[in-house]
């Protein structure tokens, strides 16, 4: 979208180049320095500015190639067998949007990855399959389609599928680009398989009760003790909320996955949400800071991002860059639609950088560009 601001005002850099100034700049450059006014307007924009572009990744186009990767390389060879999704403007940092990474991982029955850990936080959203599991710091957790799973910063984790299961595919989300930008990432491989320290599904069975916390447990880590958020609990909660709430005019019925101990985000650097769009719902447009990666968990529809329409259906993935104007539409007149998303809001909010603005033109709806 075109800028509506003019830099030719007092308070902005308005210096005109002269031969004398150009010679001065070159002299500064030899000393590893520069004049702020030559870059000030660029590094201090009038509004938040993203280096990413909106993108849509169609699952029907990617699925066969994801499965083909399981014929070409093994988990042992690849470490993690993933087809990653990269933004056209973020290829230099392997990001899907902003400083967020995402990819699609496949694991066959009987396969498992080696245990590892890294400073980057990670999450999974299960797309298809049966018999899949993850082991996080000695907690073995089984998962099903549309379950949301976290593997927080520096936890040992590994994934696999039971021998009698079905090939599992899930979306990975990590803050690798952010942690690398901060020059703070690391990686370690566990020697062998993790020892299971707890009964299977100890974490969700202990901490998954809505509004309930175990009185005999103390949790002092900075991330959620609930490593799996089950779709069988999440979807009914959305339906119940929709019975008595109008929801957000911009997001429909929006529910955040939360740390049951604090009520805050599930991890220090990434948050996640599930939203329900009622049959035929068309949300109003708005914009906010923070980068978002979406996956359609149920239904079909489209989103308008910066004036362009992106059609999605189940398992399609799309991104909304920071400060991009966006709205969502459920195309079904009889069925609801659900969108999973993950984001960098924990970082944005903790640094005091969150801002939001409603789109006020055209009654709150964007005109779609042809």
């Amino acid at each position: 979208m075109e800028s509506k601001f003019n830099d030719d005002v007092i308070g902005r850099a308005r210096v005109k180049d002269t031969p004398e100034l150009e010679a001065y700049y070159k002299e500064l450059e030899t000393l590893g320095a520069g004049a702020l006014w030559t870059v000030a307007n660029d590094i201090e924009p009038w509004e938040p500015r993203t280096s990413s572009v909106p993108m849509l990744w169609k699952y029907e186009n990617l699925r066969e190639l994801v499965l083909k990767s399981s014929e070409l390389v093994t988990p042992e060879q690849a470490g993690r067998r993933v087809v990653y999704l990269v933004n056209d403007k973020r290829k230099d940092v392997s990001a899907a949007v902003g400083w967020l990474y995402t990819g699609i991982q496949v694991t066959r029955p009987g396969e498992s990855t080696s245990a590892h850990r890294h400073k980057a936080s990670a999450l999974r959203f299960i797309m298809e399959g049966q018999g899949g599991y993850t082991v996080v710091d000695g907690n073995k957790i089984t998962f099903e389609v549309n379950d949301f799973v976290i593997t927080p910063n520096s936890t040992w984790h590994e994934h696999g599928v039971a021998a009698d299961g079905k090939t599992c595919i899930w979306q990975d989300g990590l803050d690798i680009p952010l942690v690398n930008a901060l020059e703070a990432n690391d990686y370690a491989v566990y020697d062998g398989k993790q020892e299971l320290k707890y009964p299977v599904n100890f974490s969700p069975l202990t901490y998954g009760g809505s509004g309930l916390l175990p009185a005999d447990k103390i949790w002092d880590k900075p991330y959620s003790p609930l490593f799996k958020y089950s779709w069988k609990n999440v979807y009914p909660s959305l339906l119940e909320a929709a019975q008595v709430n109008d929801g957000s005019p911009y997001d429909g019925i929006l529910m955040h996955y939360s740390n049951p101990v604090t009520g805050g985000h599930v991890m220090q650097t990434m948050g996640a949400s599930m939203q329900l769009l009622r049959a035929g719902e068309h949300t109003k447009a708005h914009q906010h800071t923070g980068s978002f990666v979406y996956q359609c968990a149920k239904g079909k529809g489209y989103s308008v991002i910066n004036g362009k329409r992106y059609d999605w259906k189940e398992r399609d993935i799309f991104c909304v860059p920071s400060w991009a104007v966006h709205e969502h539409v459920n195309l079904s007149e009889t069925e609801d639609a659900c969108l999973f998303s993950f984001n960098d809001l924990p970082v944005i909010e903790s640094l005091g950088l969150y801002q939001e603005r409603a789109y006020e033109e055209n009654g709150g709806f964007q005109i779609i560009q042809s």
Side-chain angles (χ1 to χ4, degrees), residues 52-314:
S52 305
V53 293
M55 290 190 65
L56 170 70
W57 295 273
K58 302 294 288 183
Y59 188 57
E60 63 184 1
N61 297 333
L62 283 165
R63 184 176 182 274
E64 288 305 314
L65 291 173
V66 171
L67 290 171
K68 187 174 182 180
S69 73
S70 68
E71 302 170 3
L72 299 173
V73 296
T74 66
E76 292 78 12
Q77 292 170 326
R80 289 162 293 178
R81 192 166 50 208
V82 182
V83 172
Y84 75 100
L85 310 181
V86 63
N87 195 282
D88 285 344
K89 298 295 185 179
R90 302 295 285 158
K91 293 179 180 180
D92 57 329
V93 291
S94 302
V97 63
W99 297 100
L100 295 174
Y101 160 100
T102 197
I104 303 175
Q105 185 166 173
V106 59
T107 306
R108 288 178 164 184
E111 290 183 337
S112 63
T113 63
S114 60
H116 58 280
R117 68 181 181 187
H118 36 68
K119 279 296 183 291
S121 298
L123 55 84
R124 331 282 165 194
F125 190 73
I126 314 307
M127 302 173 75
E128 60 178 273
Q130 184 176 311
Y133 65 87
T134 189
V135 183
V136 183
D137 275 348
N139 289 272
K140 183 175 182 179
I141 298 161
T142 60
F143 49 66
E144 299 174 354
V145 170
N146 282 352
D147 286 355
F148 168 59
V149 178
I150 64 171
T151 51
N153 166 314
S154 294
T155 56
W156 290 109
H157 56 281
E158 57 194 275
H159 318 292
V161 176
D164 60 352
K166 297 180 181 178
T167 296
C168 287
I169 299 177
W170 59 80
Q171 180 183 3
D172 290 330
L174 293 96
D175 58 359
I176 289 174
L178 172 65
V179 181
N180 283 344
L182 296 172
E183 301 178 352
N185 209 0
D186 63 16
Y187 192 94
V189 177
Y190 194 84
D191 185 11
K193 292 292 184 181
Q194 295 180 72
E195 176 187 355
L196 299 184
K197 302 176 183 178
Y198 308 92
V200 174
N201 288 322
F202 173 84
S203 168
L205 291 175
T206 301
Y207 291 98
S210 178
L212 299 170
L213 285 176
D216 61 330
K217 299 291 187 292
I218 297 175
W219 185 260
D220 59 0
K221 295 181 173 62
Y223 48 79
S224 173
L226 182 56
F227 294 151
K228 179 181 75 172
Y229 297 76
S230 299
W231 175 247
K232 65 182 180 181
N233 298 328
V234 171
Y235 183 57
S237 296
L238 290 167
L239 293 176
E240 290 175 354
Q243 292 177 19
V244 294
N245 294 278
D246 293 333
S248 163
Y250 311 109
D251 289 301
I253 301 297
L254 176 66
M255 306 285 274
H256 300 306
Y257 296 98
S258 69
N259 181 334
V261 176
T262 66
H265 292 292
V266 292
M267 292 184 288
Q268 305 100 295
T269 53
M270 290 192 298
S273 305
M274 181 68 73
Q275 66 193 92
L276 180 145
L277 303 174
R278 295 178 174 92
E281 183 167 12
H282 186 161
T283 69
K284 288 191 172 183
H286 70 151
Q287 60 190 145
H288 51 69
T289 46
S291 300
F292 280 66
V293 177
Y294 287 85
Q295 183 188 142
C296 176
K298 181 179 184 292
K300 63 179 180 178
Y302 66 90
S303 297
V304 184
I305 311 171
N306 283 348
K308 183 178 179 181
R309 174 170 167 162
Y310 296 84
D311 284 85
W312 41 257
K313 59 180 182 294
E314 284 186 22

Side-chain angles (χ1 to χ4, degrees), residues 318-349:
F318 64 98
C319 70
V320 175
S322 182
W323 208 241
V325 180
H326 59 284
E327 61 197 82
H328 308 295
V329 181
N330 179 0
L331 280 173
S332 174
E333 294 297 330
T334 58
E335 300 290 331
D336 59 52
C338 293
L339 294 173
F340 164 80
S341 63
F342 71 93
N343 57 66
D344 56 6
L345 288 184
V347 177
I348 296 294
E349 292 172 352

